[in-house]
Amino acid sequence: QKEVEQNSGPLSVPEGAIASLNCTYSDRGSQSFFWYRQYSGKSPELIMFIYSNGDKEDGRFTAQLNKASQYVSLLIRDSQPSDSATYLCAVLNTGNQFYFGTGTSLTVIP
Amino acid sequence: EAGVVQSPRYKIIEKKQPVAFWCNPISGHNTLYWYLQNLGQGPELLIRYENEEAVDDSQLPKDRFSAERLKGVDSTLKIQPAELGDSAVYLCASSLAGDTDTQYFGPGTRLTVL
């Protein structure tokens, strides 16, 4: 079982819609969760991190964490074409090891 | 403030040859990471340094890969000998205070092994 799993997509949404990206993790004791964005041919850049159950909002982005279900998600409101990228979920597990998922490719259609 | 610097940006070598990648982290960042990223995959951690100490090298293939960070600043990752399957992007990242802080990634080195 992989440490972090994501639906690879591709996910397509129209401009202005809400994009929902999902991630599950295997280590129940994991405490820190991250969402990175990676444009084609570029390096990952951090969008958000979340440590506590519930929602965390930052502008158009909302991270949601449910530790009981071992599930973390990222919502992008009012999606823009510039949001088109691969979104990587990452988890810091109880062994203090950092794992990335394979990423979900998002395309926002104008 | 300068970001994470990596060189070279691209490298093409023949199999069985050695290759080395260099990384200079953001000034003051004591944590340095080396990742490998294959096309369509997420980055995979190879090694993590806290200052000059390798605190996690559990996923580094030690038969052919080695890394060093002698003075706790810049770092070198070496592959000897390279194999066809080593073709990938090698990413270096740094952060201020360990894993839970923001990691800043360099531009990466794209390695092609022929």
Side-chain angles (χ1 to χ4, degrees), chain B residues 4-42:
Chain B
V4 177
V5 178
Q6 290 188 249
S7 69
R9 291 295 312 278
Y10 304 92
K11 188 73 176 179
I12 301 174
I13 61 172
E14 293 187 347
K15 63 180 181 182
K16 300 185 182 180
Q17 294 300 306
V19 64
F21 315 123
W22 177 80
C23 172
N24 187 259
I26 293 173
S27 178
H29 282 195
N30 59 350
T31 306
L32 184 147
Y33 314 77
W34 281 105
Y35 291 91
L36 175 157
Q37 186 172 25
N38 287 303
L39 188 65
Q41 302 294 315

PDB file of all heavy atoms in Angstrom, chain B residues 4-42:
ATOM      1  N   VAL B   4      16.814  28.347  -4.127  1.00  0.00           N
ATOM      2  CA  VAL B   4      17.680  27.172  -4.156  1.00  0.00           C
ATOM      3  C   VAL B   4      18.325  27.090  -5.540  1.00  0.00           C
ATOM      4  O   VAL B   4      17.626  27.181  -6.555  1.00  0.00           O
ATOM      5  CB  VAL B   4      16.886  25.890  -3.853  1.00  0.00           C
ATOM      6  CG1 VAL B   4      17.785  24.670  -3.972  1.00  0.00           C
ATOM      7  CG2 VAL B   4      16.240  25.978  -2.472  1.00  0.00           C
ATOM      8  N   VAL B   5      19.626  26.932  -5.545  1.00  0.00           N
ATOM      9  CA  VAL B   5      20.363  26.888  -6.810  1.00  0.00           C
ATOM     10  C   VAL B   5      20.833  25.458  -7.056  1.00  0.00           C
ATOM     11  O   VAL B   5      21.371  24.807  -6.147  1.00  0.00           O
ATOM     12  CB  VAL B   5      21.575  27.835  -6.772  1.00  0.00           C
ATOM     13  CG1 VAL B   5      22.358  27.750  -8.083  1.00  0.00           C
ATOM     14  CG2 VAL B   5      21.119  29.270  -6.517  1.00  0.00           C
ATOM     15  N   GLN B   6      20.622  24.989  -8.267  1.00  0.00           N
ATOM     16  CA  GLN B   6      21.077  23.659  -8.648  1.00  0.00           C
ATOM     17  C   GLN B   6      21.852  23.746  -9.952  1.00  0.00           C
ATOM     18  O   GLN B   6      21.534  24.545 -10.824  1.00  0.00           O
ATOM     19  CB  GLN B   6      19.900  22.691  -8.842  1.00  0.00           C
ATOM     20  CG  GLN B   6      19.198  22.308  -7.564  1.00  0.00           C
ATOM     21  CD  GLN B   6      18.182  21.208  -7.798  1.00  0.00           C
ATOM     22  OE1 GLN B   6      16.975  21.433  -7.702  1.00  0.00           O
ATOM     23  NE2 GLN B   6      18.665  20.006  -8.099  1.00  0.00           N
ATOM     24  N   SER B   7      22.836  22.898 -10.065  1.00  0.00           N
ATOM     25  CA  SER B   7      23.553  22.780 -11.333  1.00  0.00           C
ATOM     26  C   SER B   7      24.078  21.355 -11.492  1.00  0.00           C
ATOM     27  O   SER B   7      24.310  20.663 -10.497  1.00  0.00           O
ATOM     28  CB  SER B   7      24.713  23.785 -11.395  1.00  0.00           C
ATOM     29  OG  SER B   7      25.720  23.431 -10.477  1.00  0.00           O
ATOM     30  N   PRO B   8      24.205  20.891 -12.742  1.00  0.00           N
ATOM     31  CA  PRO B   8      23.731  21.566 -13.941  1.00  0.00           C
ATOM     32  C   PRO B   8      22.220  21.467 -14.068  1.00  0.00           C
ATOM     33  O   PRO B   8      21.582  20.776 -13.277  1.00  0.00           O
ATOM     34  CB  PRO B   8      24.424  20.766 -15.057  1.00  0.00           C
ATOM     35  CG  PRO B   8      24.504  19.379 -14.500  1.00  0.00           C
ATOM     36  CD  PRO B   8      24.780  19.556 -13.023  1.00  0.00           C
ATOM     37  N   ARG B   9      21.615  22.163 -14.992  1.00  0.00           N
ATOM     38  CA  ARG B   9      20.180  22.052 -15.213  1.00  0.00           C
ATOM     39  C   ARG B   9      19.853  20.812 -16.038  1.00  0.00           C
ATOM     40  O   ARG B   9      18.798  20.203 -15.859  1.00  0.00           O
ATOM     41  CB  ARG B   9      19.673  23.293 -15.942  1.00  0.00           C
ATOM     42  CG  ARG B   9      19.711  24.560 -15.098  1.00  0.00           C
ATOM     43  CD  ARG B   9      18.749  24.481 -13.902  1.00  0.00           C
ATOM     44  NE  ARG B   9      17.427  24.030 -14.295  1.00  0.00           N
ATOM     45  CZ  ARG B   9      16.499  24.805 -14.808  1.00  0.00           C
ATOM     46  NH1 ARG B   9      16.738  26.083 -14.991  1.00  0.00           N
ATOM     47  NH2 ARG B   9      15.316  24.308 -15.139  1.00  0.00           N
ATOM     48  N   TYR B  10      20.754  20.453 -16.920  1.00  0.00           N
ATOM     49  CA  TYR B  10      20.554  19.277 -17.767  1.00  0.00           C
ATOM     50  C   TYR B  10      21.874  18.515 -17.851  1.00  0.00           C
ATOM     51  O   TYR B  10      22.946  19.123 -17.872  1.00  0.00           O
ATOM     52  CB  TYR B  10      20.109  19.667 -19.182  1.00  0.00           C
ATOM     53  CG  TYR B  10      18.862  20.522 -19.197  1.00  0.00           C
ATOM     54  CD1 TYR B  10      18.944  21.906 -19.181  1.00  0.00           C
ATOM     55  CD2 TYR B  10      17.604  19.942 -19.228  1.00  0.00           C
ATOM     56  CE1 TYR B  10      17.801  22.684 -19.185  1.00  0.00           C
ATOM     57  CE2 TYR B  10      16.456  20.717 -19.235  1.00  0.00           C
ATOM     58  CZ  TYR B  10      16.570  22.085 -19.215  1.00  0.00           C
ATOM     59  OH  TYR B  10      15.439  22.851 -19.213  1.00  0.00           O
ATOM     60  N   LYS B  11      21.739  17.186 -17.907  1.00  0.00           N
ATOM     61  CA  LYS B  11      22.931  16.358 -18.034  1.00  0.00           C
ATOM     62  C   LYS B  11      22.571  15.126 -18.834  1.00  0.00           C
ATOM     63  O   LYS B  11      21.584  14.450 -18.533  1.00  0.00           O
ATOM     64  CB  LYS B  11      23.448  15.970 -16.647  1.00  0.00           C
ATOM     65  CG  LYS B  11      24.797  15.269 -16.653  1.00  0.00           C
ATOM     66  CD  LYS B  11      25.915  16.241 -16.963  1.00  0.00           C
ATOM     67  CE  LYS B  11      27.269  15.555 -16.865  1.00  0.00           C
ATOM     68  NZ  LYS B  11      28.377  16.497 -17.195  1.00  0.00           N
ATOM     69  N   ILE B  12      23.381  14.852 -19.840  1.00  0.00           N
ATOM     70  CA  ILE B  12      23.213  13.641 -20.647  1.00  0.00           C
ATOM     71  C   ILE B  12      24.501  12.849 -20.545  1.00  0.00           C
ATOM     72  O   ILE B  12      25.584  13.367 -20.825  1.00  0.00           O
ATOM     73  CB  ILE B  12      22.909  13.970 -22.119  1.00  0.00           C
ATOM     74  CG1 ILE B  12      21.634  14.809 -22.226  1.00  0.00           C
ATOM     75  CG2 ILE B  12      22.774  12.688 -22.941  1.00  0.00           C
ATOM     76  CD1 ILE B  12      21.344  15.311 -23.634  1.00  0.00           C
ATOM     77  N   ILE B  13      24.377  11.591 -20.131  1.00  0.00           N
ATOM     78  CA  ILE B  13      25.551  10.739 -19.998  1.00  0.00           C
ATOM     79  C   ILE B  13      25.227   9.356 -20.541  1.00  0.00           C
ATOM     80  O   ILE B  13      24.072   8.992 -20.726  1.00  0.00           O
ATOM     81  CB  ILE B  13      26.020  10.615 -18.527  1.00  0.00           C
ATOM     82  CG1 ILE B  13      24.910   9.989 -17.664  1.00  0.00           C
ATOM     83  CG2 ILE B  13      26.455  11.956 -17.972  1.00  0.00           C
ATOM     84  CD1 ILE B  13      25.353   9.645 -16.258  1.00  0.00           C
ATOM     85  N   GLU B  14      26.268   8.596 -20.759  1.00  0.00           N
ATOM     86  CA  GLU B  14      26.071   7.195 -21.145  1.00  0.00           C
ATOM     87  C   GLU B  14      26.036   6.342 -19.890  1.00  0.00           C
ATOM     88  O   GLU B  14      26.624   6.699 -18.858  1.00  0.00           O
ATOM     89  CB  GLU B  14      27.195   6.746 -22.072  1.00  0.00           C
ATOM     90  CG  GLU B  14      27.162   7.462 -23.415  1.00  0.00           C
ATOM     91  CD  GLU B  14      28.177   6.908 -24.396  1.00  0.00           C
ATOM     92  OE1 GLU B  14      29.069   6.149 -23.967  1.00  0.00           O
ATOM     93  OE2 GLU B  14      28.081   7.239 -25.593  1.00  0.00           O
ATOM     94  N   LYS B  15      25.340   5.236 -19.990  1.00  0.00           N
ATOM     95  CA  LYS B  15      25.251   4.336 -18.825  1.00  0.00           C
ATOM     96  C   LYS B  15      26.650   3.907 -18.399  1.00  0.00           C
ATOM     97  O   LYS B  15      27.578   3.858 -19.193  1.00  0.00           O
ATOM     98  CB  LYS B  15      24.379   3.120 -19.134  1.00  0.00           C
ATOM     99  CG  LYS B  15      24.885   2.230 -20.220  1.00  0.00           C
ATOM    100  CD  LYS B  15      23.929   1.056 -20.446  1.00  0.00           C
ATOM    101  CE  LYS B  15      24.451   0.136 -21.541  1.00  0.00           C
ATOM    102  NZ  LYS B  15      23.515  -0.991 -21.819  1.00  0.00           N
ATOM    103  N   LYS B  16      26.748   3.649 -17.120  1.00  0.00           N
ATOM    104  CA  LYS B  16      27.979   3.248 -16.442  1.00  0.00           C
ATOM    105  C   LYS B  16      28.915   4.421 -16.155  1.00  0.00           C
ATOM    106  O   LYS B  16      29.926   4.232 -15.461  1.00  0.00           O
ATOM    107  CB  LYS B  16      28.731   2.151 -17.204  1.00  0.00           C
ATOM    108  CG  LYS B  16      27.926   0.868 -17.381  1.00  0.00           C
ATOM    109  CD  LYS B  16      28.745  -0.221 -18.038  1.00  0.00           C
ATOM    110  CE  LYS B  16      27.904  -1.478 -18.244  1.00  0.00           C
ATOM    111  NZ  LYS B  16      28.682  -2.570 -18.881  1.00  0.00           N
ATOM    112  N   GLN B  17      28.570   5.615 -16.650  1.00  0.00           N
ATOM    113  CA  GLN B  17      29.382   6.780 -16.331  1.00  0.00           C
ATOM    114  C   GLN B  17      28.959   7.352 -14.980  1.00  0.00           C
ATOM    115  O   GLN B  17      27.829   7.174 -14.530  1.00  0.00           O
ATOM    116  CB  GLN B  17      29.225   7.845 -17.417  1.00  0.00           C
ATOM    117  CG  GLN B  17      29.782   7.419 -18.759  1.00  0.00           C
ATOM    118  CD  GLN B  17      31.268   7.119 -18.681  1.00  0.00           C
ATOM    119  OE1 GLN B  17      32.064   7.929 -18.242  1.00  0.00           O
ATOM    120  NE2 GLN B  17      31.643   5.913 -19.098  1.00  0.00           N
ATOM    121  N   PRO B  18      29.862   8.078 -14.313  1.00  0.00           N
ATOM    122  CA  PRO B  18      29.483   8.761 -13.075  1.00  0.00           C
ATOM    123  C   PRO B  18      28.863  10.122 -13.389  1.00  0.00           C
ATOM    124  O   PRO B  18      29.094  10.695 -14.456  1.00  0.00           O
ATOM    125  CB  PRO B  18      30.821   8.941 -12.350  1.00  0.00           C
ATOM    126  CG  PRO B  18      31.817   9.048 -13.470  1.00  0.00           C
ATOM    127  CD  PRO B  18      31.301   8.171 -14.584  1.00  0.00           C
ATOM    128  N   VAL B  19      28.073  10.633 -12.439  1.00  0.00           N
ATOM    129  CA  VAL B  19      27.480  11.959 -12.596  1.00  0.00           C
ATOM    130  C   VAL B  19      27.306  12.561 -11.207  1.00  0.00           C
ATOM    131  O   VAL B  19      27.120  11.845 -10.222  1.00  0.00           O
ATOM    132  CB  VAL B  19      26.137  11.882 -13.355  1.00  0.00           C
ATOM    133  CG1 VAL B  19      25.098  11.100 -12.556  1.00  0.00           C
ATOM    134  CG2 VAL B  19      25.628  13.265 -13.713  1.00  0.00           C
ATOM    135  N   ALA B  20      27.401  13.875 -11.149  1.00  0.00           N
ATOM    136  CA  ALA B  20      27.242  14.565  -9.867  1.00  0.00           C
ATOM    137  C   ALA B  20      26.358  15.777 -10.050  1.00  0.00           C
ATOM    138  O   ALA B  20      26.425  16.458 -11.081  1.00  0.00           O
ATOM    139  CB  ALA B  20      28.602  14.987  -9.314  1.00  0.00           C
ATOM    140  N   PHE B  21      25.534  16.037  -9.041  1.00  0.00           N
ATOM    141  CA  PHE B  21      24.644  17.194  -9.024  1.00  0.00           C
ATOM    142  C   PHE B  21      24.980  18.038  -7.805  1.00  0.00           C
ATOM    143  O   PHE B  21      25.281  17.510  -6.740  1.00  0.00           O
ATOM    144  CB  PHE B  21      23.176  16.758  -8.932  1.00  0.00           C
ATOM    145  CG  PHE B  21      22.800  15.638  -9.855  1.00  0.00           C
ATOM    146  CD1 PHE B  21      22.263  14.460  -9.350  1.00  0.00           C
ATOM    147  CD2 PHE B  21      22.977  15.753 -11.221  1.00  0.00           C
ATOM    148  CE1 PHE B  21      21.911  13.418 -10.193  1.00  0.00           C
ATOM    149  CE2 PHE B  21      22.625  14.712 -12.066  1.00  0.00           C
ATOM    150  CZ  PHE B  21      22.096  13.540 -11.547  1.00  0.00           C
ATOM    151  N   TRP B  22      24.865  19.345  -7.991  1.00  0.00           N
ATOM    152  CA  TRP B  22      25.209  20.263  -6.908  1.00  0.00           C
ATOM    153  C   TRP B  22      24.001  21.099  -6.522  1.00  0.00           C
ATOM    154  O   TRP B  22      23.184  21.462  -7.373  1.00  0.00           O
ATOM    155  CB  TRP B  22      26.363  21.159  -7.368  1.00  0.00           C
ATOM    156  CG  TRP B  22      26.774  22.191  -6.384  1.00  0.00           C
ATOM    157  CD1 TRP B  22      27.570  22.031  -5.288  1.00  0.00           C
ATOM    158  CD2 TRP B  22      26.410  23.574  -6.410  1.00  0.00           C
ATOM    159  NE1 TRP B  22      27.724  23.224  -4.632  1.00  0.00           N
ATOM    160  CE2 TRP B  22      27.023  24.194  -5.300  1.00  0.00           C
ATOM    161  CE3 TRP B  22      25.626  24.362  -7.261  1.00  0.00           C
ATOM    162  CZ2 TRP B  22      26.882  25.545  -5.026  1.00  0.00           C
ATOM    163  CZ3 TRP B  22      25.482  25.704  -6.992  1.00  0.00           C
ATOM    164  CH2 TRP B  22      26.103  26.277  -5.880  1.00  0.00           C
ATOM    165  N   CYS B  23      23.891  21.382  -5.231  1.00  0.00           N
ATOM    166  CA  CYS B  23      22.778  22.181  -4.725  1.00  0.00           C
ATOM    167  C   CYS B  23      23.283  23.178  -3.695  1.00  0.00           C
ATOM    168  O   CYS B  23      24.034  22.808  -2.777  1.00  0.00           O
ATOM    169  CB  CYS B  23      21.719  21.275  -4.095  1.00  0.00           C
ATOM    170  SG  CYS B  23      20.395  22.154  -3.231  1.00  0.00           S
ATOM    171  N   ASN B  24      22.844  24.410  -3.823  1.00  0.00           N
ATOM    172  CA  ASN B  24      23.103  25.425  -2.805  1.00  0.00           C
ATOM    173  C   ASN B  24      21.757  25.891  -2.258  1.00  0.00           C
ATOM    174  O   ASN B  24      20.959  26.472  -2.993  1.00  0.00           O
ATOM    175  CB  ASN B  24      23.882  26.599  -3.387  1.00  0.00           C
ATOM    176  CG  ASN B  24      24.307  27.581  -2.317  1.00  0.00           C
ATOM    177  OD1 ASN B  24      23.695  28.624  -2.149  1.00  0.00           O
ATOM    178  ND2 ASN B  24      25.324  27.248  -1.575  1.00  0.00           N
ATOM    179  N   PRO B  25      21.472  25.631  -0.985  1.00  0.00           N
ATOM    180  CA  PRO B  25      20.157  25.969  -0.443  1.00  0.00           C
ATOM    181  C   PRO B  25      20.014  27.462  -0.182  1.00  0.00           C
ATOM    182  O   PRO B  25      20.984  28.222  -0.299  1.00  0.00           O
ATOM    183  CB  PRO B  25      20.127  25.195   0.871  1.00  0.00           C
ATOM    184  CG  PRO B  25      21.568  25.162   1.298  1.00  0.00           C
ATOM    185  CD  PRO B  25      22.353  25.044   0.021  1.00  0.00           C
ATOM    186  N   ILE B  26      18.828  27.859   0.187  1.00  0.00           N
ATOM    187  CA  ILE B  26      18.586  29.243   0.586  1.00  0.00           C
ATOM    188  C   ILE B  26      19.393  29.529   1.843  1.00  0.00           C
ATOM    189  O   ILE B  26      19.474  28.690   2.751  1.00  0.00           O
ATOM    190  CB  ILE B  26      17.086  29.475   0.813  1.00  0.00           C
ATOM    191  CG1 ILE B  26      16.335  29.367  -0.523  1.00  0.00           C
ATOM    192  CG2 ILE B  26      16.822  30.825   1.460  1.00  0.00           C
ATOM    193  CD1 ILE B  26      14.822  29.401  -0.397  1.00  0.00           C
ATOM    194  N   SER B  27      19.984  30.705   1.884  1.00  0.00           N
ATOM    195  CA  SER B  27      20.833  31.067   3.013  1.00  0.00           C
ATOM    196  C   SER B  27      20.086  30.938   4.340  1.00  0.00           C
ATOM    197  O   SER B  27      18.955  31.422   4.478  1.00  0.00           O
ATOM    198  CB  SER B  27      21.315  32.504   2.833  1.00  0.00           C
ATOM    199  OG  SER B  27      22.113  32.914   3.924  1.00  0.00           O
ATOM    200  N   GLY B  28      20.699  30.238   5.280  1.00  0.00           N
ATOM    201  CA  GLY B  28      20.088  30.076   6.596  1.00  0.00           C
ATOM    202  C   GLY B  28      19.230  28.838   6.746  1.00  0.00           C
ATOM    203  O   GLY B  28      18.818  28.498   7.860  1.00  0.00           O
ATOM    204  N   HIS B  29      18.953  28.167   5.640  1.00  0.00           N
ATOM    205  CA  HIS B  29      18.149  26.949   5.712  1.00  0.00           C
ATOM    206  C   HIS B  29      19.060  25.786   6.119  1.00  0.00           C
ATOM    207  O   HIS B  29      19.953  25.399   5.385  1.00  0.00           O
ATOM    208  CB  HIS B  29      17.491  26.655   4.363  1.00  0.00           C
ATOM    209  CG  HIS B  29      16.308  27.499   4.090  1.00  0.00           C
ATOM    210  ND1 HIS B  29      15.390  27.199   3.086  1.00  0.00           N
ATOM    211  CD2 HIS B  29      15.850  28.620   4.685  1.00  0.00           C
ATOM    212  CE1 HIS B  29      14.438  28.107   3.086  1.00  0.00           C
ATOM    213  NE2 HIS B  29      14.703  28.988   4.047  1.00  0.00           N
ATOM    214  N   ASN B  30      18.769  25.214   7.287  1.00  0.00           N
ATOM    215  CA  ASN B  30      19.637  24.151   7.761  1.00  0.00           C
ATOM    216  C   ASN B  30      19.187  22.762   7.315  1.00  0.00           C
ATOM    217  O   ASN B  30      19.931  21.795   7.457  1.00  0.00           O
ATOM    218  CB  ASN B  30      19.753  24.199   9.288  1.00  0.00           C
ATOM    219  CG  ASN B  30      18.398  24.060   9.971  1.00  0.00           C
ATOM    220  OD1 ASN B  30      17.362  24.114   9.326  1.00  0.00           O
ATOM    221  ND2 ASN B  30      18.431  23.864  11.274  1.00  0.00           N
ATOM    222  N   THR B  31      17.997  22.659   6.762  1.00  0.00           N
ATOM    223  CA  THR B  31      17.505  21.362   6.289  1.00  0.00           C
ATOM    224  C   THR B  31      17.562  21.319   4.768  1.00  0.00           C
ATOM    225  O   THR B  31      17.089  22.240   4.103  1.00  0.00           O
ATOM    226  CB  THR B  31      16.072  21.110   6.767  1.00  0.00           C
ATOM    227  OG1 THR B  31      16.025  21.256   8.188  1.00  0.00           O
ATOM    228  CG2 THR B  31      15.638  19.696   6.409  1.00  0.00           C
ATOM    229  N   LEU B  32      18.139  20.263   4.247  1.00  0.00           N
ATOM    230  CA  LEU B  32      18.296  20.110   2.800  1.00  0.00           C
ATOM    231  C   LEU B  32      17.816  18.726   2.396  1.00  0.00           C
ATOM    232  O   LEU B  32      18.080  17.738   3.085  1.00  0.00           O
ATOM    233  CB  LEU B  32      19.765  20.308   2.399  1.00  0.00           C
ATOM    234  CG  LEU B  32      20.108  20.287   0.896  1.00  0.00           C
ATOM    235  CD1 LEU B  32      21.263  21.246   0.611  1.00  0.00           C
ATOM    236  CD2 LEU B  32      20.433  18.889   0.434  1.00  0.00           C
ATOM    237  N   TYR B  33      17.097  18.681   1.282  1.00  0.00           N
ATOM    238  CA  TYR B  33      16.510  17.440   0.783  1.00  0.00           C
ATOM    239  C   TYR B  33      16.955  17.203  -0.657  1.00  0.00           C
ATOM    240  O   TYR B  33      17.027  18.138  -1.447  1.00  0.00           O
ATOM    241  CB  TYR B  33      14.975  17.521   0.771  1.00  0.00           C
ATOM    242  CG  TYR B  33      14.317  18.083   2.007  1.00  0.00           C
ATOM    243  CD1 TYR B  33      14.311  19.451   2.258  1.00  0.00           C
ATOM    244  CD2 TYR B  33      13.657  17.246   2.900  1.00  0.00           C
ATOM    245  CE1 TYR B  33      13.681  19.970   3.374  1.00  0.00           C
ATOM    246  CE2 TYR B  33      13.009  17.762   4.017  1.00  0.00           C
ATOM    247  CZ  TYR B  33      13.040  19.123   4.248  1.00  0.00           C
ATOM    248  OH  TYR B  33      12.402  19.642   5.355  1.00  0.00           O
ATOM    249  N   TRP B  34      17.176  15.955  -0.977  1.00  0.00           N
ATOM    250  CA  TRP B  34      17.342  15.536  -2.371  1.00  0.00           C
ATOM    251  C   TRP B  34      16.176  14.608  -2.717  1.00  0.00           C
ATOM    252  O   TRP B  34      15.896  13.656  -1.990  1.00  0.00           O
ATOM    253  CB  TRP B  34      18.642  14.782  -2.588  1.00  0.00           C
ATOM    254  CG  TRP B  34      19.858  15.639  -2.702  1.00  0.00           C
ATOM    255  CD1 TRP B  34      20.829  15.834  -1.761  1.00  0.00           C
ATOM    256  CD2 TRP B  34      20.269  16.395  -3.847  1.00  0.00           C
ATOM    257  NE1 TRP B  34      21.806  16.664  -2.243  1.00  0.00           N
ATOM    258  CE2 TRP B  34      21.490  17.029  -3.525  1.00  0.00           C
ATOM    259  CE3 TRP B  34      19.729  16.600  -5.129  1.00  0.00           C
ATOM    260  CZ2 TRP B  34      22.174  17.845  -4.421  1.00  0.00           C
ATOM    261  CZ3 TRP B  34      20.405  17.409  -6.017  1.00  0.00           C
ATOM    262  CH2 TRP B  34      21.616  18.027  -5.663  1.00  0.00           C
ATOM    263  N   TYR B  35      15.518  14.924  -3.833  1.00  0.00           N
ATOM    264  CA  TYR B  35      14.415  14.111  -4.331  1.00  0.00           C
ATOM    265  C   TYR B  35      14.715  13.655  -5.751  1.00  0.00           C
ATOM    266  O   TYR B  35      15.440  14.311  -6.503  1.00  0.00           O
ATOM    267  CB  TYR B  35      13.109  14.910  -4.395  1.00  0.00           C
ATOM    268  CG  TYR B  35      12.489  15.287  -3.081  1.00  0.00           C
ATOM    269  CD1 TYR B  35      12.810  16.499  -2.455  1.00  0.00           C
ATOM    270  CD2 TYR B  35      11.551  14.463  -2.472  1.00  0.00           C
ATOM    271  CE1 TYR B  35      12.207  16.856  -1.255  1.00  0.00           C
ATOM    272  CE2 TYR B  35      10.944  14.822  -1.271  1.00  0.00           C
ATOM    273  CZ  TYR B  35      11.284  16.019  -0.681  1.00  0.00           C
ATOM    274  OH  TYR B  35      10.684  16.374   0.502  1.00  0.00           O
ATOM    275  N   LEU B  36      14.080  12.578  -6.130  1.00  0.00           N
ATOM    276  CA  LEU B  36      14.079  12.081  -7.502  1.00  0.00           C
ATOM    277  C   LEU B  36      12.625  12.140  -7.988  1.00  0.00           C
ATOM    278  O   LEU B  36      11.712  11.740  -7.265  1.00  0.00           O
ATOM    279  CB  LEU B  36      14.583  10.642  -7.512  1.00  0.00           C
ATOM    280  CG  LEU B  36      14.592   9.822  -8.790  1.00  0.00           C
ATOM    281  CD1 LEU B  36      15.632   8.701  -8.647  1.00  0.00           C
ATOM    282  CD2 LEU B  36      13.247   9.193  -9.083  1.00  0.00           C
ATOM    283  N   GLN B  37      12.412  12.667  -9.187  1.00  0.00           N
ATOM    284  CA  GLN B  37      11.048  12.705  -9.727  1.00  0.00           C
ATOM    285  C   GLN B  37      11.042  12.138 -11.135  1.00  0.00           C
ATOM    286  O   GLN B  37      11.669  12.678 -12.046  1.00  0.00           O
ATOM    287  CB  GLN B  37      10.471  14.126  -9.727  1.00  0.00           C
ATOM    288  CG  GLN B  37       9.008  14.149 -10.142  1.00  0.00           C
ATOM    289  CD  GLN B  37       8.347  15.502  -9.984  1.00  0.00           C
ATOM    290  OE1 GLN B  37       9.015  16.538 -10.010  1.00  0.00           O
ATOM    291  NE2 GLN B  37       7.036  15.526  -9.800  1.00  0.00           N
ATOM    292  N   ASN B  38      10.310  11.050 -11.286  1.00  0.00           N
ATOM    293  CA  ASN B  38      10.091  10.475 -12.607  1.00  0.00           C
ATOM    294  C   ASN B  38       8.872  11.124 -13.245  1.00  0.00           C
ATOM    295  O   ASN B  38       7.989  11.642 -12.551  1.00  0.00           O
ATOM    296  CB  ASN B  38       9.884   8.966 -12.510  1.00  0.00           C
ATOM    297  CG  ASN B  38      11.172   8.232 -12.200  1.00  0.00           C
ATOM    298  OD1 ASN B  38      12.152   8.338 -12.931  1.00  0.00           O
ATOM    299  ND2 ASN B  38      11.181   7.480 -11.108  1.00  0.00           N
ATOM    300  N   LEU B  39       8.795  11.081 -14.547  1.00  0.00           N
ATOM    301  CA  LEU B  39       7.702  11.691 -15.290  1.00  0.00           C
ATOM    302  C   LEU B  39       6.364  11.116 -14.837  1.00  0.00           C
ATOM    303  O   LEU B  39       6.193   9.906 -14.753  1.00  0.00           O
ATOM    304  CB  LEU B  39       7.896  11.456 -16.787  1.00  0.00           C
ATOM    305  CG  LEU B  39       6.951  12.194 -17.720  1.00  0.00           C
ATOM    306  CD1 LEU B  39       7.170  13.697 -17.609  1.00  0.00           C
ATOM    307  CD2 LEU B  39       7.152  11.733 -19.156  1.00  0.00           C
ATOM    308  N   GLY B  40       5.454  12.005 -14.492  1.00  0.00           N
ATOM    309  CA  GLY B  40       4.124  11.568 -14.084  1.00  0.00           C
ATOM    310  C   GLY B  40       4.033  11.057 -12.662  1.00  0.00           C
ATOM    311  O   GLY B  40       2.995  10.528 -12.255  1.00  0.00           O
ATOM    312  N   GLN B  41       5.096  11.211 -11.918  1.00  0.00           N
ATOM    313  CA  GLN B  41       5.124  10.757 -10.525  1.00  0.00           C
ATOM    314  C   GLN B  41       5.423  11.922  -9.593  1.00  0.00           C
ATOM    315  O   GLN B  41       5.899  12.976 -10.026  1.00  0.00           O
ATOM    316  CB  GLN B  41       6.194   9.678 -10.340  1.00  0.00           C
ATOM    317  CG  GLN B  41       6.011   8.466 -11.228  1.00  0.00           C
ATOM    318  CD  GLN B  41       4.766   7.687 -10.894  1.00  0.00           C
ATOM    319  OE1 GLN B  41       4.475   7.442  -9.720  1.00  0.00           O
ATOM    320  NE2 GLN B  41       4.002   7.320 -11.907  1.00  0.00           N
ATOM    321  N   GLY B  42       5.171  11.710  -8.324  1.00  0.00           N
ATOM    322  CA  GLY B  42       5.546  12.705  -7.345  1.00  0.00           C
ATOM    323  C   GLY B  42       7.010  12.561  -6.969  1.00  0.00           C
ATOM    324  O   GLY B  42       7.631  11.533  -7.237  1.00  0.00           O
TER     325      GLY B  42
END
